[in-house]
Amino acid sequence: MKRYHVTTFGCQMNVHDSERIKGLLESVGLGEAATPDDADFLVFNTCTIREKADERLVAHLMDARAAKQRDPGKVVVVGGCWSESMKDELFDQFPFVDLAFGPGNIHRLGDFIQAGGEIPRGHFSTFDSFAGDLPLKRDRDYQAWLQISTGCNCNCAYCIVPSVRGREHSRHPDDLVREASALAADGVRELTLLGQNVNSYGRDLRPAVTTSFAALLRALDAVPGIERIRFTSPHPKDMRDDVIEAMADSPAVCEHLHLPVQSGSTRVLKAMRRTYSRERYLTLVERIRDRIPDIALTTDIIVGFPGETDAEFEDTLTLVDEVGYDHAFTFVYSPRRGTDAARREDQVAEEVKKERIQRLVDLVQAHAARRNAALVGTVQEVLVEGPSRTDPSVLRGRTRANKAVNFGGEATAGELVDVRITASTSQTLAGQLGAPVAV
Ligand code: 5AD
Ligand code: SF4
């Protein structure tokens, strides 16, 4: 039996796409290899969101080239966003690559491999169907991703994603409820809805289908067996009251919201084309906290967007203080090919960006530590994932707020248990098993 190995880069959407890639490869008779060295098909599912992602990938591709020099029978396949962004240049720069495809063409991979023997070189682009109907190979029995939409109609000045994942397409709500029910029947308890902009879901289906994101949340909440629902990522501009109400009303929807802000300066937000101001974002946070008081808020922040002044960066720091995030992913701006911001001449100097990110990371950590410390002494519902990777004598799981907890006691993966929180850091919680949560 020929064997494959998939190396995945990037976001959860890509991790999920890799589950489809694996499912597809197995459906045409390939088996999974434990390491790239044991594999006949070396598949890379790539990301291109920031410069660093590109650099890491190139290092991996060089290893693949060396492996292929040792064993010319190996087939190198490059899928995902970077592949799409490179188009045919990919074959000019990396001639040892046999096959490349973009995130909208995963289903074509099976055809290629099934064609057998000689694999023609090819690069497919543009979206032609959802991977949602493809076979799926999941790592965890009790957690699953559900891709509700693909692509993005936003026009953020820094972002390469719309050019690689295309316009937004939403899946039909009936298909989504069916898939969620099938997953629940298969033992899944936690669903994470995925989309580049989840809460603009459904607009492209109108007028034939009028299901909004809020209505979709309610429909999925009603699926028996699904006890936790998360989603990533929503856009603040589409975070309307009906979504907040649906979150508050739906018992399965977790008390956690990842709400990317990107900057605390209204001028920078405008230059980024985010279409909201600092004030509107803060008002939104207030409305959410009014309705769901204990909600955990996380975000994405970029420092050093072209033209960002010291004072504008300070605005980001004060916004972080005002919101008091549970966690934030912080990024140094990096120019991406084809984006408007990359063409600007007022790029911020590297040393300035470095200094800013350090200050931001310190502040974010201080808030995370404070928010986590406030949970010490409380009892949290935890979905058990199994033994901790760093210390197998304790278990690991996540709270509804998506915080990692290491805890003592006996429980099996996939169980929902009560854990009394006894200690915290800015990154994790520690605790002790209590009584099981009645469900
Ligand atoms: N430079 C730095 N960070 C970026 N992001 C997107 N594009 C860039 C870029 N060019 C960040 C945003 C987004 C997250 C997924 O990646 O914060 O929300
Ligand atoms: Fe990377 Fe964005 Fe593609 Fe996800 S969608 S893999 S973050 S480029």
Side-chain angles (χ1 to χ4, degrees):
M1 189 206 270
K2 295 254 185 201
R3 290 195 292 171
Y4 70 86
H5 183 271
V6 181
T7 309
T8 307
F9 304 85
C11 62
Q12 298 182 59
M13 186 70 93
N14 251 27
V15 177
H16 179 54
D17 283 347
S18 285
E19 294 183 332
R20 300 284 180 195
I21 291 172
K22 291 180 187 183
L24 198 73
L25 293 173
E26 299 205 354
S27 76
V28 297
L30 301 187
E32 186 166 16
T35 67
D37 288 342
D38 307 326
D40 307 289
F41 287 83
L42 298 176
V43 184
F44 297 91
N45 191 15
T46 63
C47 172
T48 188
I49 191 89
R50 289 170 291 273
E51 235 161 8
K52 272 212 183 107
D54 289 13
E55 289 163 9
R56 272 183 60 210
L57 173 70
V58 169
H60 275 78
L61 283 182
M62 290 303 126
D63 290 345
R65 180 176 68 175
K68 198 168 163 164
Q69 273 164 356
R70 290 190 299 270
D71 174 3
K74 285 197 196 268
V75 177
V76 180
V77 179
V78 184
C81 295
W82 176 81
S83 171
E84 181 69 53
S85 76
M86 290 290 284
K87 299 250 163 28
D88 291 334
E89 222 181 282
L90 194 154
F91 294 114
D92 300 337
Q93 287 188 30
F94 306 92
F96 56 92
V97 172
D98 295 287
L99 176 67
F101 60 94
N105 323 98
I106 294 171
H107 60 291
R108 305 271 306 268
L109 175 63
D111 304 344
F112 252 90
I113 289 173
Q114 238 162 358
E118 281 292 289
I119 294 178
R121 280 184 152 211
H123 192 285
F124 314 111
S125 48
T126 70
F127 172 79
D128 47 41
S129 92
F130 287 110
D133 303 321
L134 299 177
L136 181 65
K137 182 176 177 177
R138 290 189 290 110
D139 275 350
R140 289 212 171 115
D141 294 338
Y142 49 89
Q143 281 175 322
W145 282 291
L146 183 62
Q147 188 186 29
I148 67 166
S149 62
T150 177
C152 183
N153 291 354
C154 298
N155 193 17
C156 301
Y158 50 80
C159 189
I160 196 170
V161 173
S163 78
V164 292
R165 287 203 180 247
R167 301 285 295 169
E168 186 169 295
H169 295 266
S170 303
R171 285 174 69 197
H172 196 286
D174 294 348
D175 290 346
L176 294 171
V177 170
R178 209 175 302 127
E179 190 171 327
S181 307
L183 288 165
D186 211 28
V188 167
R189 308 185 92 175
E190 179 174 304
L191 270 187
T192 303
L193 316 187
L194 294 180
Q196 248 67 50
N197 179 1
V198 278
N199 54 344
S200 74
Y201 170 85
R203 270 185 219 147
D204 55 301
L205 299 176
R206 285 164 189 268
V209 176
T210 56
T211 309
S212 63
F213 181 63
L216 181 68
L217 278 183
R218 291 178 191 272
L220 293 171
D221 179 63
V223 173
I226 298 297
E227 279 154 285
R228 287 181 168 191
I229 297 174
R230 309 183 180 285
F231 52 86
T232 195
S233 290
H235 193 300
K237 78 174 166 60
D238 296 312
M239 200 65 204
R240 286 187 311 264
D241 284 345
D242 63 338
V243 177
I244 301 172
E245 289 303 314
M247 289 182 72
D249 289 348
S250 306
V253 176
C254 289
E255 296 74 33
H256 168 220
L257 186 65
H258 182 69
L259 195 61
V261 66
Q262 313 300 359
S263 166
S265 150
T266 295
R267 197 214 49 92
V268 173
L269 287 169
K270 192 152 192 209
M272 288 176 164
R273 287 201 293 266
R274 291 292 288 173
T275 73
Y276 53 86
S277 62
R278 170 195 179 95
E279 292 69 30
R280 249 185 75 201
Y281 184 92
L282 288 172
T283 310
L284 176 60
V285 165
E286 228 172 85
R287 281 216 306 279
I288 294 165
R289 284 208 169 123
D290 270 353
R291 213 43 198 92
I292 313 164
D294 292 331
I295 196 163
L297 290 174
T298 58
T299 198
D300 291 343
I301 301 170
I302 299 176
V303 304
F305 183 81
E308 184 189 68
T309 65
D310 284 337
E312 287 163 347
F313 171 65
E314 296 292 332
D315 288 342
T316 294
L317 297 179
T318 59
L319 178 125
V320 167
D321 276 331
E322 276 186 51
V323 176
Y325 290 105
D326 290 81
H327 178 68
F329 297 97
T330 53
F331 306 107
V332 167
Y333 167 77
S334 70
R336 302 284 62 208
R337 70 156 74 189
T339 59
D340 284 357
R343 283 186 283 271
R344 287 177 56 155
E345 278 164 15
D346 50 355
Q347 302 289 329
V348 173
E350 284 309 317
E351 316 83 72
V352 175
K353 289 198 259 192
K354 260 201 200 136
E355 192 206 313
R356 287 183 188 166
I357 192 104
Q358 198 47 55
R359 285 182 64 197
L360 179 62
V361 165
D362 290 346
L363 185 65
V364 162
Q365 271 187 0
H367 281 288
R370 181 181 58 76
R371 296 277 301 169
N372 286 350
L375 296 174
V376 173
T378 66
V379 173
Q380 299 291 320
E381 181 204 278
V382 171
L383 180 61
V384 183
E385 291 174 1
S388 153
R389 257 166 282 154
T390 45
D391 176 3
S393 72
V394 295
L395 291 166
R396 183 195 148 93
R398 280 184 185 267
T399 66
R400 286 177 63 89
N402 208 28
K403 296 186 188 243
V405 190
N406 293 314
F407 59 101
E410 301 250 321
T412 27
E415 244 186 299
L416 285 172
V417 295
D418 266 351
V419 172
R420 182 170 295 280
I421 306 303
T422 53
S424 69
T425 68
S426 62
Q427 304 292 325
T428 54
L429 303 173
Q432 193 62 38
L433 193 73
V437 177
V439 282

